[in-house]
């Protein structure tokens, strides 16, 4: 089955129906071609001597699997989507209150981890807060909670642990909910700047009429287009979804868009993204794992290459001084510090002497001027 769904040797993947897409997620070998291409990229990096980077961190991905991060406001339908895609009937969903209180991972047999996160509330823009006469304390609270949430998203996207770091982000927005472009763009830009594939899913589109849906589609697609391509020349995807069959105003609506969402997730996986996980070991004192919260070292799909041998030697020397390489190294450091101290004292003394000489010369000129008078 994996051979039929090998998206990484084709331009895109398409399923005949939702059942075929679900069946693909149950295939243990579905991502084997992707992981093979991922490792092949890293082997090519290791074979190039001029590329002074470590691939150890990136090689952990096949062990942990691919994480797909589901984010969005409370009640946006994140849990429902995961339930429909995975077929896990034990997932708790609710349309009236938050059903997820902490990050929860649901692993498909194909090694895709669907990470369901607690919902949040988009704060209004500063202009709307002023028009609504929102109190200063309320505005400060909303701003604080929002900034903390944005920081958390960034920390997940740059985590030094591949068991939590996402390879794709799905932002869920219920079609009947308000759109706050300024706040939504703040989220999108973090994901986009870090070159993580972004999928914008408009959920429960059957809950609004055609005219309202057209307005929502125009607004959300406008946000996607405003981002443009990222450093890897990829643009965000936009998908409209009905995750459950339901009857609205006498009309029966079927499940739609879920198949397209699964296709978008699989098509977003790119072996070239392995270059984002390369590290320079000597920058981290011999460890190939980047520190938590650090951004990728490789950007725009390019590989970091050392400038010359002197740069590497200088980096090793700096690391050696920080570690303290024995008594001799400590004595050299102390000697260097004493030498720098003497130079600073000499410069201060030289400036002091120049100031004293200048003051003496000024007094002498004044004395000569009084004698002439």
């Amino acid at each position: 089955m994996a051979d039929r769904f090998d998206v990484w040797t084709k331009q895109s993947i398409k399923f005949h129906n939702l059942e075929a897409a679900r069946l693909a997620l149950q295939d243990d070998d579905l991502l084997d071609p992707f992981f093979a291409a991922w490792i092949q990229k890293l082997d090519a990096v290791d074979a190039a001597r001029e590329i002074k980077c470590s691939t150890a961190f990136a090689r952990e991905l096949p062990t942990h699997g691919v994480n797909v991060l589901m984010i969005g406001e409370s009640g946006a339908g994140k849990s429902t989507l995961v339930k429909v895609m995975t077929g896990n009937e034990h997932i708790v969903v609710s349309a009236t209150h938050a059903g997820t209180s902490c990050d929860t991972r649901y692993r498909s047999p194909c090694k895709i981890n669907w990470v369901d996160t607690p919902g949040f509330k988009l704060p209004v823009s500063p202009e709307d807060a002023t028009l609504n006469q929102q109190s200063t304390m309320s505005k400060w609270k909303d701003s604080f909670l929002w900034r903390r949430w944005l920081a958390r998203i960034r920390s997940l996207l740059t985590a030094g642990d591949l068991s939590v770091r996402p390879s794709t982000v799905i932002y869920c927005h219920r079609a009947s909910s308000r759109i706050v472009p300024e706040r939504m763009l703040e989220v999108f830009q973090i994901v986009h700047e870090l070159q993580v594939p972004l999928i914008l899913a408009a959920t429960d589109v059957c809950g609004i009429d055609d005219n309202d849906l057209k307005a929502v589609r125009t607004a959300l697609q406008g946000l996607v287009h405003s981002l443009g391509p990222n450093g890897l020349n990829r643009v965000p995807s936009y998908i409209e979804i009905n995750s459950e069959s339901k009857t609205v105003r006498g009309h029966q609506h079927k499940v739609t868009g879920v198949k397209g969402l699964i296709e978008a997730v699989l098509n977003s996986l790119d072996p070239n993204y392995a270059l984002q996980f390369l590290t320079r070991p000597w920058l981290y004192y011999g460890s190939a794992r980047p520190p938590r919260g650090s951004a990728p070292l490789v950007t725009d799909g390019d590989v970091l290459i050392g400038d010359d041998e002197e740069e590497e030697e200088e980096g090793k020397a700096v690391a050696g001084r920080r570690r303290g390489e024995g008594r001799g190294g400590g004595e050299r450091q102390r000697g260097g510090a004493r030498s720098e101290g003497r130079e600073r004292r000499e410069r201060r003394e030289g400036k002091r002497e120049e100031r004293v000489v200048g003051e003496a010369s000024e007094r002498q000129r004044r004395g000569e001027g009084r004698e002439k008078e």
Side-chain angles (χ1 to χ4, degrees), residues 26 61 86 123 169 223 246 272 278 285 287 319 330 332 337:
Q26 303 302 314
L61 184 71
T86 62
V169 174
L223 293 177
K246 60 179 65 176
N272 290 318
L278 300 183
Y285 310 109
S287 172
R332 285 193 298 271

Side-chain angles (χ1 to χ4, degrees), residues 11 14 29 72 75 80 88 101 104 217 240 258 260 262 286 341 355:
Q11 291 184 350
K14 291 287 185 181
D29 302 326
T80 303
N88 189 338
S101 58
T104 308
R217 181 184 301 126
E240 296 177 358
V258 178
I262 297 175
R355 187 167 59 253

Side-chain angles (χ1 to χ4, degrees), residues 155 158-161 164 289-294:
S155 68
T158 59
D161 183 358
V164 299
R289 185 186 301 278
R292 293 185 181 276
S294 63

Side-chain angles (χ1 to χ4, degrees), residues 110-369:
C110 66
K111 292 186 177 180
I112 292 181
N113 305 310
W114 308 93
V115 185
D116 191 9
T117 62
F120 55 85
K121 179 182 178 181
L122 284 173
V124 298
S125 64
E127 295 78 9
D128 291 339
T130 302
L131 292 175
N132 296 336
Q133 297 182 349
Q134 188 177 5
S135 67
T136 302
M137 181 60 69
S138 178
K139 287 190 290 186
W140 179 87
K141 179 182 178 181
D142 288 348
S143 177
F144 171 77
L145 295 176
W146 179 243
R147 295 302 167 189
R148 186 174 66 175
W149 192 88
L150 291 178
R152 180 175 180 274
I153 290 297
R154 183 178 291 275
S155 68
L156 287 175
L157 296 176
T158 59
D161 183 358
L162 288 183
S163 66
V164 299
R165 185 165 174 169
S167 298
T168 300
V169 174
I170 299 177
Y171 185 98
C172 298
H173 176 82
R174 184 174 290 274
S176 57
S177 299
R178 59 181 181 148
I179 296 176
V180 188
E182 299 86 349
R183 301 306 189 188
M184 296 174 70
L185 276 177
E186 289 184 75
V187 181
F188 299 165
Q189 287 169 351
I190 293 176
V191 181
H192 207 54
E193 290 171 0
L194 293 175
Q195 301 176 18
V196 179
L198 172 64
I199 301 173
L200 174 56
T203 62
D204 196 28
V205 294
C206 66
I208 57 178
D209 60 32
D210 292 342
N211 291 331
D212 290 339
L213 177 58
K214 183 177 179 180
V216 170
R217 181 184 301 126
T218 300
L220 295 182
Q221 287 182 339
L223 293 177
V224 169
H225 293 158
S226 68
L227 293 172
N230 62 10
L232 298 178
N233 200 31
R234 301 180 71 103
V235 295
S237 303
Y238 171 73
I239 300 176
E240 296 177 358
I241 297 173
N242 277 325
S243 53
E244 293 181 310
S245 298
K246 60 179 65 176
T247 302
V248 179
R249 293 185 292 273
H251 296 281
Q252 181 68 28
H253 296 271
K254 299 180 179 180
V255 175
T256 58
V258 178
K259 177 181 77 73
L261 181 61
I262 297 175
E263 293 170 348
V265 169
L266 294 175
N267 288 324
S268 70
L269 302 180
D270 186 354
N272 290 318
Y273 190 58
L275 303 180
Q276 294 288 93
F277 294 82
L278 300 183
T279 60
R280 281 181 173 174
W282 55 268
L283 284 177
Y284 304 116
Y285 310 109
S287 172
R289 185 186 301 278
R292 293 185 181 276
S294 63
L297 286 180
V298 180
T299 58
D300 298 337
D302 297 328
V303 179
L304 281 177
I305 300 177
D307 296 331
D308 49 33
E309 295 182 357
E310 294 181 358
E311 179 184 354
E312 182 178 7
E313 293 299 327
E314 180 182 356
K316 291 180 179 179
V318 171
R321 287 197 298 271
R322 290 180 177 176
R323 294 176 183 174
E325 297 176 340
R327 182 177 300 175
E331 292 175 355
R332 285 193 298 271
Q333 285 183 327
R334 290 191 292 272
R338 287 195 295 268
S339 177
E340 293 177 356
R342 284 196 299 270
E343 291 178 358
R344 287 195 295 268
R345 286 195 297 272
E346 289 173 358
R347 286 196 296 269
R348 287 197 298 269
E349 291 173 358
K351 292 181 180 179
R352 189 181 299 111
E353 291 176 357
E354 292 176 358
R355 187 167 59 253
V356 171
V357 171
E359 291 174 354
S361 299
E362 181 65 23
R363 286 196 298 271
Q364 184 177 1
R365 285 194 298 270
R366 292 177 181 176
E368 292 175 353

